[in-house]
Amino acid sequence: MSREWIRNRKADHYHRRATHEGYRSRAAYKLKEIDDRIGMLKIGSRVLDVGASPGGWSQVAKERVGDGIVVAVDLGDMPPIDGVSFIRGDISERATIDRIKDICQEFDVVLSDASPRLSGNKVYDRGRDLALCWSVMELAQEMLRPGGTTVIKMFQGDELIELREHFSIMYRSVDTLKPRSSLNRSSEVYLAFRRLLRDHPAPGA
Ligand SMILES: C[S@@+](CC[C@H](N)C(=O)[O-])C[C@H]1O[C@@H](n2cnc3c(N)ncnc32)[C@H](O)[C@@H]1O
């Protein structure tokens, strides 16, 4: 049994399960596992889902927050989901953030499974991915309520450690999670940051 075979089998398993259970992507199971571990999605929560298309995470978020708010953002289009507001736009652009704020000013949970389209040039792709992660973290700094949670996909490496350290001042804990439904050969992990109940004053303030 080759590793490739095992990997494909695992991907197939979650893919088939998603089709059977009505989820748009097998990524849905990653969010379910993460939330089962840390319990951030509660009835009434306000959730921002960045890089949402085709919509698996938004489906899970909506199921779990009931009457709460789910705002989904993606560069590409996304077929509508009942009760989810969709914004087509680039998360690193101010105009997109202003449109999010028109719907909701503050969120209990900011999720990001976003990843740029791969060009094949590893260094270039890595740089774009990292820039995207920083944009999401900066957005969370602006829009996450005190005590809220940010979950962001990142690839393992020195950059992850740097980002984690840079933003840890505003969070009371950071967990690194690798859901079972994430392929082993992928170096992706999910960082779950829990924001402090009150922000530290800026240095020198
Ligand atoms: C892996 S997919 C997300 C899958 C989704 N979580 C689901 O459950 O179906 C990554 C998405 O990130 C989006 N994306 C990449 N860069 C983005 C950006 N700058 N702003 C918004 N979305 C972005 C891509 O268009 C793509 O749809």
PDB file of all heavy atoms in Angstrom, residues 41-45 47 59-70 82-84:
ATOM      1  N   LEU A  41     -17.991  27.901  18.381  1.00  0.00           N
ATOM      2  CA  LEU A  41     -19.228  28.233  17.661  1.00  0.00           C
ATOM      3  C   LEU A  41     -20.425  27.945  18.567  1.00  0.00           C
ATOM      4  O   LEU A  41     -20.726  26.780  18.838  1.00  0.00           O
ATOM      5  CB  LEU A  41     -19.337  27.421  16.364  1.00  0.00           C
ATOM      6  CG  LEU A  41     -18.226  27.657  15.333  1.00  0.00           C
ATOM      7  CD1 LEU A  41     -18.327  26.659  14.169  1.00  0.00           C
ATOM      8  CD2 LEU A  41     -18.259  29.092  14.795  1.00  0.00           C
ATOM      9  N   LYS A  42     -21.058  29.017  19.019  1.00  0.00           N
ATOM     10  CA  LYS A  42     -22.175  28.845  19.957  1.00  0.00           C
ATOM     11  C   LYS A  42     -23.431  29.439  19.331  1.00  0.00           C
ATOM     12  O   LYS A  42     -23.342  30.308  18.469  1.00  0.00           O
ATOM     13  CB  LYS A  42     -21.866  29.578  21.255  1.00  0.00           C
ATOM     14  CG  LYS A  42     -20.598  29.038  21.912  1.00  0.00           C
ATOM     15  CD  LYS A  42     -20.459  29.570  23.323  1.00  0.00           C
ATOM     16  CE  LYS A  42     -19.391  28.844  24.106  1.00  0.00           C
ATOM     17  NZ  LYS A  42     -18.063  28.917  23.537  1.00  0.00           N
ATOM     18  N   ILE A  43     -24.581  28.983  19.810  1.00  0.00           N
ATOM     19  CA  ILE A  43     -25.835  29.559  19.317  1.00  0.00           C
ATOM     20  C   ILE A  43     -25.765  31.086  19.501  1.00  0.00           C
ATOM     21  O   ILE A  43     -25.429  31.568  20.584  1.00  0.00           O
ATOM     22  CB  ILE A  43     -27.040  28.977  20.111  1.00  0.00           C
ATOM     23  CG1 ILE A  43     -27.169  27.469  19.851  1.00  0.00           C
ATOM     24  CG2 ILE A  43     -28.336  29.697  19.765  1.00  0.00           C
ATOM     25  CD1 ILE A  43     -27.585  27.094  18.450  1.00  0.00           C
ATOM     26  N   GLY A  44     -26.041  31.806  18.441  1.00  0.00           N
ATOM     27  CA  GLY A  44     -26.046  33.277  18.513  1.00  0.00           C
ATOM     28  C   GLY A  44     -24.714  33.924  18.155  1.00  0.00           C
ATOM     29  O   GLY A  44     -24.632  35.141  18.045  1.00  0.00           O
ATOM     30  N   SER A  45     -23.648  33.115  17.970  1.00  0.00           N
ATOM     31  CA  SER A  45     -22.337  33.713  17.650  1.00  0.00           C
ATOM     32  C   SER A  45     -22.377  34.446  16.315  1.00  0.00           C
ATOM     33  O   SER A  45     -23.124  34.090  15.407  1.00  0.00           O
ATOM     34  CB  SER A  45     -21.250  32.627  17.539  1.00  0.00           C
ATOM     35  OG  SER A  45     -21.005  32.010  18.759  1.00  0.00           O
ATOM     36  N   VAL A  47     -20.055  35.181  13.160  1.00  0.00           N
ATOM     37  CA  VAL A  47     -18.874  34.527  12.578  1.00  0.00           C
ATOM     38  C   VAL A  47     -18.498  35.149  11.247  1.00  0.00           C
ATOM     39  O   VAL A  47     -19.357  35.350  10.380  1.00  0.00           O
ATOM     40  CB  VAL A  47     -19.162  33.013  12.339  1.00  0.00           C
ATOM     41  CG1 VAL A  47     -17.952  32.315  11.738  1.00  0.00           C
ATOM     42  CG2 VAL A  47     -19.589  32.335  13.625  1.00  0.00           C
ATOM     43  N   GLN A  59     -21.346  26.452   5.893  1.00  0.00           N
ATOM     44  CA  GLN A  59     -22.474  25.558   6.201  1.00  0.00           C
ATOM     45  C   GLN A  59     -22.384  25.077   7.655  1.00  0.00           C
ATOM     46  O   GLN A  59     -23.372  25.106   8.391  1.00  0.00           O
ATOM     47  CB  GLN A  59     -22.459  24.333   5.274  1.00  0.00           C
ATOM     48  CG  GLN A  59     -22.847  24.633   3.833  1.00  0.00           C
ATOM     49  CD  GLN A  59     -22.755  23.369   2.985  1.00  0.00           C
ATOM     50  OE1 GLN A  59     -21.660  22.838   2.765  1.00  0.00           O
ATOM     51  NE2 GLN A  59     -23.886  22.895   2.511  1.00  0.00           N
ATOM     52  N   VAL A  60     -21.195  24.659   8.057  1.00  0.00           N
ATOM     53  CA  VAL A  60     -21.015  24.151   9.425  1.00  0.00           C
ATOM     54  C   VAL A  60     -21.241  25.293  10.424  1.00  0.00           C
ATOM     55  O   VAL A  60     -21.941  25.131  11.434  1.00  0.00           O
ATOM     56  CB  VAL A  60     -19.596  23.555   9.603  1.00  0.00           C
ATOM     57  CG1 VAL A  60     -19.317  23.231  11.065  1.00  0.00           C
ATOM     58  CG2 VAL A  60     -19.432  22.317   8.731  1.00  0.00           C
ATOM     59  N   ALA A  61     -20.674  26.473  10.110  1.00  0.00           N
ATOM     60  CA  ALA A  61     -20.824  27.612  11.028  1.00  0.00           C
ATOM     61  C   ALA A  61     -22.302  27.939  11.201  1.00  0.00           C
ATOM     62  O   ALA A  61     -22.792  28.098  12.326  1.00  0.00           O
ATOM     63  CB  ALA A  61     -20.051  28.814  10.506  1.00  0.00           C
ATOM     64  N   LYS A  62     -23.037  27.999  10.104  1.00  0.00           N
ATOM     65  CA  LYS A  62     -24.464  28.357  10.187  1.00  0.00           C
ATOM     66  C   LYS A  62     -25.236  27.320  11.010  1.00  0.00           C
ATOM     67  O   LYS A  62     -26.072  27.668  11.842  1.00  0.00           O
ATOM     68  CB  LYS A  62     -25.046  28.490   8.773  1.00  0.00           C
ATOM     69  CG  LYS A  62     -26.435  29.035   8.722  1.00  0.00           C
ATOM     70  CD  LYS A  62     -26.528  30.430   9.349  1.00  0.00           C
ATOM     71  CE  LYS A  62     -27.946  30.807   9.709  1.00  0.00           C
ATOM     72  NZ  LYS A  62     -28.008  31.877  10.710  1.00  0.00           N
ATOM     73  N   GLU A  63     -24.928  26.033  10.770  1.00  0.00           N
ATOM     74  CA  GLU A  63     -25.596  24.977  11.549  1.00  0.00           C
ATOM     75  C   GLU A  63     -25.393  25.190  13.045  1.00  0.00           C
ATOM     76  O   GLU A  63     -26.282  24.978  13.845  1.00  0.00           O
ATOM     77  CB  GLU A  63     -24.930  23.631  11.248  1.00  0.00           C
ATOM     78  CG  GLU A  63     -25.515  22.828  10.133  1.00  0.00           C
ATOM     79  CD  GLU A  63     -24.571  21.676   9.766  1.00  0.00           C
ATOM     80  OE1 GLU A  63     -23.790  21.175  10.637  1.00  0.00           O
ATOM     81  OE2 GLU A  63     -24.600  21.308   8.600  1.00  0.00           O
ATOM     82  N   ARG A  64     -24.166  25.588  13.394  1.00  0.00           N
ATOM     83  CA  ARG A  64     -23.829  25.619  14.819  1.00  0.00           C
ATOM     84  C   ARG A  64     -24.210  26.918  15.523  1.00  0.00           C
ATOM     85  O   ARG A  64     -24.337  26.925  16.742  1.00  0.00           O
ATOM     86  CB  ARG A  64     -22.332  25.313  15.003  1.00  0.00           C
ATOM     87  CG  ARG A  64     -22.035  23.892  14.554  1.00  0.00           C
ATOM     88  CD  ARG A  64     -20.715  23.352  15.035  1.00  0.00           C
ATOM     89  NE  ARG A  64     -20.627  21.922  14.703  1.00  0.00           N
ATOM     90  CZ  ARG A  64     -19.728  21.098  15.187  1.00  0.00           C
ATOM     91  NH1 ARG A  64     -18.814  21.541  16.017  1.00  0.00           N
ATOM     92  NH2 ARG A  64     -19.738  19.823  14.823  1.00  0.00           N
ATOM     93  N   VAL A  65     -24.375  28.013  14.770  1.00  0.00           N
ATOM     94  CA  VAL A  65     -24.698  29.288  15.450  1.00  0.00           C
ATOM     95  C   VAL A  65     -26.197  29.585  15.418  1.00  0.00           C
ATOM     96  O   VAL A  65     -26.635  30.568  16.021  1.00  0.00           O
ATOM     97  CB  VAL A  65     -23.900  30.494  14.888  1.00  0.00           C
ATOM     98  CG1 VAL A  65     -22.400  30.215  14.940  1.00  0.00           C
ATOM     99  CG2 VAL A  65     -24.333  30.878  13.478  1.00  0.00           C
ATOM    100  N   GLY A  66     -26.979  28.763  14.717  1.00  0.00           N
ATOM    101  CA  GLY A  66     -28.433  28.975  14.681  1.00  0.00           C
ATOM    102  C   GLY A  66     -28.785  30.363  14.160  1.00  0.00           C
ATOM    103  O   GLY A  66     -28.451  30.705  13.029  1.00  0.00           O
ATOM    104  N   ASP A  67     -29.413  31.182  15.030  1.00  0.00           N
ATOM    105  CA  ASP A  67     -29.832  32.530  14.615  1.00  0.00           C
ATOM    106  C   ASP A  67     -28.685  33.531  14.576  1.00  0.00           C
ATOM    107  O   ASP A  67     -28.906  34.719  14.324  1.00  0.00           O
ATOM    108  CB  ASP A  67     -30.901  33.071  15.575  1.00  0.00           C
ATOM    109  CG  ASP A  67     -32.234  32.412  15.302  1.00  0.00           C
ATOM    110  OD1 ASP A  67     -32.379  31.822  14.214  1.00  0.00           O
ATOM    111  OD2 ASP A  67     -33.114  32.478  16.185  1.00  0.00           O
ATOM    112  N   GLY A  68     -27.500  33.088  14.860  1.00  0.00           N
ATOM    113  CA  GLY A  68     -26.341  34.005  14.831  1.00  0.00           C
ATOM    114  C   GLY A  68     -26.059  34.485  13.413  1.00  0.00           C
ATOM    115  O   GLY A  68     -26.788  34.170  12.473  1.00  0.00           O
ATOM    116  N   ILE A  69     -24.961  35.257  13.288  1.00  0.00           N
ATOM    117  CA  ILE A  69     -24.638  35.867  11.996  1.00  0.00           C
ATOM    118  C   ILE A  69     -23.436  35.149  11.379  1.00  0.00           C
ATOM    119  O   ILE A  69     -22.442  34.906  12.068  1.00  0.00           O
ATOM    120  CB  ILE A  69     -24.274  37.358  12.212  1.00  0.00           C
ATOM    121  CG1 ILE A  69     -25.504  38.126  12.691  1.00  0.00           C
ATOM    122  CG2 ILE A  69     -23.682  37.993  10.953  1.00  0.00           C
ATOM    123  CD1 ILE A  69     -25.201  39.550  13.104  1.00  0.00           C
ATOM    124  N   VAL A  70     -23.552  34.809  10.095  1.00  0.00           N
ATOM    125  CA  VAL A  70     -22.373  34.289   9.378  1.00  0.00           C
ATOM    126  C   VAL A  70     -22.162  35.156   8.146  1.00  0.00           C
ATOM    127  O   VAL A  70     -23.061  35.296   7.309  1.00  0.00           O
ATOM    128  CB  VAL A  70     -22.537  32.809   8.958  1.00  0.00           C
ATOM    129  CG1 VAL A  70     -21.287  32.335   8.208  1.00  0.00           C
ATOM    130  CG2 VAL A  70     -22.794  31.919  10.169  1.00  0.00           C
ATOM    131  N   ASP A  82     -28.498  29.502   2.833  1.00  0.00           N
ATOM    132  CA  ASP A  82     -29.555  30.139   3.633  1.00  0.00           C
ATOM    133  C   ASP A  82     -28.988  30.741   4.913  1.00  0.00           C
ATOM    134  O   ASP A  82     -28.327  30.038   5.676  1.00  0.00           O
ATOM    135  CB  ASP A  82     -30.578  29.055   4.030  1.00  0.00           C
ATOM    136  CG  ASP A  82     -31.923  29.353   3.446  1.00  0.00           C
ATOM    137  OD1 ASP A  82     -32.007  30.291   2.636  1.00  0.00           O
ATOM    138  OD2 ASP A  82     -32.880  28.638   3.818  1.00  0.00           O
ATOM    139  N   GLY A  83     -29.245  32.025   5.120  1.00  0.00           N
ATOM    140  CA  GLY A  83     -28.833  32.658   6.376  1.00  0.00           C
ATOM    141  C   GLY A  83     -27.380  33.093   6.409  1.00  0.00           C
ATOM    142  O   GLY A  83     -26.900  33.563   7.443  1.00  0.00           O
ATOM    143  N   VAL A  84     -26.656  32.937   5.309  1.00  0.00           N
ATOM    144  CA  VAL A  84     -25.243  33.365   5.263  1.00  0.00           C
ATOM    145  C   VAL A  84     -25.142  34.554   4.298  1.00  0.00           C
ATOM    146  O   VAL A  84     -25.618  34.483   3.165  1.00  0.00           O
ATOM    147  CB  VAL A  84     -24.322  32.215   4.777  1.00  0.00           C
ATOM    148  CG1 VAL A  84     -22.888  32.703   4.575  1.00  0.00           C
ATOM    149  CG2 VAL A  84     -24.360  31.045   5.762  1.00  0.00           C
TER     150      VAL A  84
END
